[in-house]
Amino acid sequence: MVKSFVVLVFTFCASLVWADQVTVKDVLGRDVTFNAPAQRVIVGFYPEDYMAIGTEAAYDKVVGVSRYIWEARSANWEMYVKHRPSLQDIPAIGRVDTQTFSVEKVVSLNPDVLVLADWQYKGLGTDIERLESAGIKVIVVDYNAQTLERHIKSTELIGVITGQEKRAAAIAADYKNTVEMVNKRLADANLPAPKVYTEFGASGVQELGFTFGKNMWGAISTMAGGDNISAPFVEWWGKLNPEQVIASNPDVIVITGYETGKGTDSMLMGQGVDDTEARKRLEGYKNRLGWSTISAVQNNRLYGAYHGACRTILDAAMIEFYAKAMYPEVFSDLDPEQAYLDFYKKYLPATPEGIFTLAL
């Protein structure tokens, strides 16, 4: 009994020694004060980023998660569960976008910190007040915006929450270096910006899928030196008129996909996807009605990308991918596929196998 009491007191004192009260500004400029590293955390979005920055040990202190975004990438989720089965036991808190997010569940888990994406925070509205009145510190991060500033800020915030500030700084510096390298080469080359169109290919060849304006793939393609044809017509994401795609006549087309899709002609990319099958799916887009007149199709400049590789600190490799697709001579030395896998090998406990970037 005495021994147990001593252990309890030591553990309590140790937690006081290692946890310091800090105040951070999140990506919305909100001041949030909490004890860092946080001892009980709910990860509302970006679960893989949280592990990459905080290390796998950060999940020892995760008490809840919006697990659906991870499970949507089923092969990726299964890879992590195989490595760390306890991930399956972390309680799910629901989804903001389907109005199944449970404030009551979050409160019952008694977290110190709730990490939310910008869009989640805004979508919860007055529920944020209910969470904060329960003593929960809400910190907003944002990789969806796909800006250098928010990628770096979000990474630094997760570093503070998990007590991995040095690791976060290294990851942020790597990302910044990639962006600056691409910008310098583009400036030195001083070439006209090629027109680029990106489409999420889950619906297949027969149905035009979502495209992206100033965030996600739209922002990545612009950051990589492209003239995004969707930007004048779509603010965030949405569908273009099929005739508009043809009239815009993109020089480069990128079709993104997950490991699964809606039909037999859906674009497939990602873990466990065979290169031959992915290439076959991408080839199918050449036969889409009206596309034979598009410059990208005529010049065989169709590309595939893994949809799960954007809105994340891992997407520096995708900036390289777009840059190489649009300016092959300027970026001929880059290997975006290997860069993507190298991030896993350096910062994550498991490395996927499959196809994540593709060029016809």
Side-chain angles (χ1 to χ4, degrees):
M1 182 70 179
V2 172
K3 182 179 179 181
S4 298
F5 177 75
V6 171
V7 170
L8 180 63
V9 170
F10 176 80
T11 302
F12 176 73
C13 291
S15 67
L16 291 179
V17 170
W18 292 108
D20 294 318
Q21 192 172 81
V22 298
T23 299
V24 298
K25 281 189 182 293
D26 68 11
V27 298
L28 298 179
R30 302 164 56 253
D31 288 326
V32 185
T33 300
F34 65 102
N35 289 329
Q39 300 302 302
R40 297 181 63 83
V41 180
I42 292 180
V43 179
F45 212 62
Y46 314 121
E48 201 172 18
D49 298 88
Y50 195 83
M51 184 179 288
I53 298 160
T55 76
E56 182 183 355
Y59 270 80
D60 294 341
K61 299 174 181 178
V62 172
V63 298
V65 66
S66 283
R67 208 165 59 199
Y68 77 94
I69 191 62
W70 211 344
E71 292 177 330
R73 302 163 59 199
S74 56
N76 183 277
W77 168 248
E78 289 164 8
M79 175 183 75
Y80 280 104
V81 167
K82 182 178 180 181
H83 172 77
R84 186 183 175 94
S86 61
L87 289 173
Q88 295 183 103
D89 302 326
I90 300 176
I93 59 170
R95 300 175 57 165
V96 174
D97 56 330
T98 58
Q99 298 182 329
T100 57
F101 182 93
S102 174
V103 173
E104 291 75 17
K105 181 68 173 180
V106 169
V107 173
S108 73
L109 294 171
N110 192 32
D112 305 319
V113 170
L114 168 61
V115 183
L116 293 176
D118 179 10
W119 69 267
Q120 289 178 310
Y121 177 85
K122 292 171 180 174
L124 284 171
T126 56
D127 282 341
I128 295 295
E129 296 175 11
R130 295 173 60 195
L131 293 165
E132 291 179 330
S133 66
I136 300 169
K137 305 298 184 177
V138 178
I139 299 178
V140 182
V141 296
D142 183 19
Y143 291 106
N144 281 57
Q146 222 46 82
T147 66
L148 177 60
E149 179 186 7
R150 285 209 168 185
H151 262 53
I152 290 177
K153 183 65 175 178
S154 299
T155 303
E156 291 172 344
L157 286 166
I158 293 174
V160 175
I161 295 166
T162 60
Q164 291 289 339
E165 292 94 332
K166 289 183 179 179
R167 183 181 175 94
I171 292 173
D174 287 345
Y175 194 90
K176 183 180 180 183
N177 289 341
T178 295
V179 173
E180 290 179 345
M181 176 273 292
V182 169
N183 287 341
K184 184 178 186 305
R185 290 198 192 184
L186 290 174
D188 290 345
N190 194 29
L191 296 171
K195 291 181 291 183
V196 58
Y197 170 68
T198 306
E199 179 182 326
F200 178 38
S203 298
V205 175
Q206 302 306 316
E207 180 184 343
L208 208 68
F210 286 103
T211 187
F212 308 89
K214 62 184 181 182
N215 72 343
M216 294 177 64
W217 295 112
I220 287 179
S221 63
T222 301
M223 194 180 295
D227 176 7
N228 177 20
I229 70 164
S230 302
F233 310 102
V234 175
E235 183 177 13
W236 301 110
W237 59 84
K239 294 185 179 183
L240 289 187
N241 185 301
E243 287 76 16
Q244 184 60 59
V245 178
I246 297 169
S248 296
N249 193 28
D251 301 298
V252 172
I253 292 175
V254 179
I255 307 295
T256 70
Y258 279 126
E259 291 86 350
T260 58
K262 295 181 180 178
T264 56
D265 62 349
S266 300
M267 188 62 204
L268 297 184
M269 294 290 293
Q271 189 170 341
V273 176
D274 179 70
D275 177 278
T276 302
E277 183 62 25
R279 193 172 298 275
K280 174 186 171 184
R281 300 291 180 107
L282 186 57
E283 285 274 3
Y285 282 84
K286 288 183 175 182
N287 302 318
R288 179 178 267 175
L289 184 64
W291 275 30
S292 62
T293 63
I294 294 177
S295 175
V297 175
Q298 292 179 345
N299 295 317
N300 213 36
R301 298 185 72 182
L302 268 68
Y303 299 83
Y306 180 45
H307 197 69
C310 75
R311 64 181 179 191
T312 166
I313 196 60
L314 283 76
D315 61 37
M318 296 300 131
I319 299 173
E320 293 186 3
F321 164 70
Y322 269 86
K324 187 171 183 176
M326 293 186 291
Y327 302 91
E329 294 182 0
V330 178
F331 298 98
S332 60
D333 60 313
L334 300 186
D335 187 346
E337 181 90 358
Q338 191 59 52
Y340 184 69
L341 296 175
D342 284 347
F343 186 98
Y344 276 92
K345 292 173 183 177
K346 188 173 183 180
Y347 292 114
L348 286 160
T351 303
E353 295 180 359
I355 183 75
F356 304 93
T357 62
L358 177 65
L360 286 186

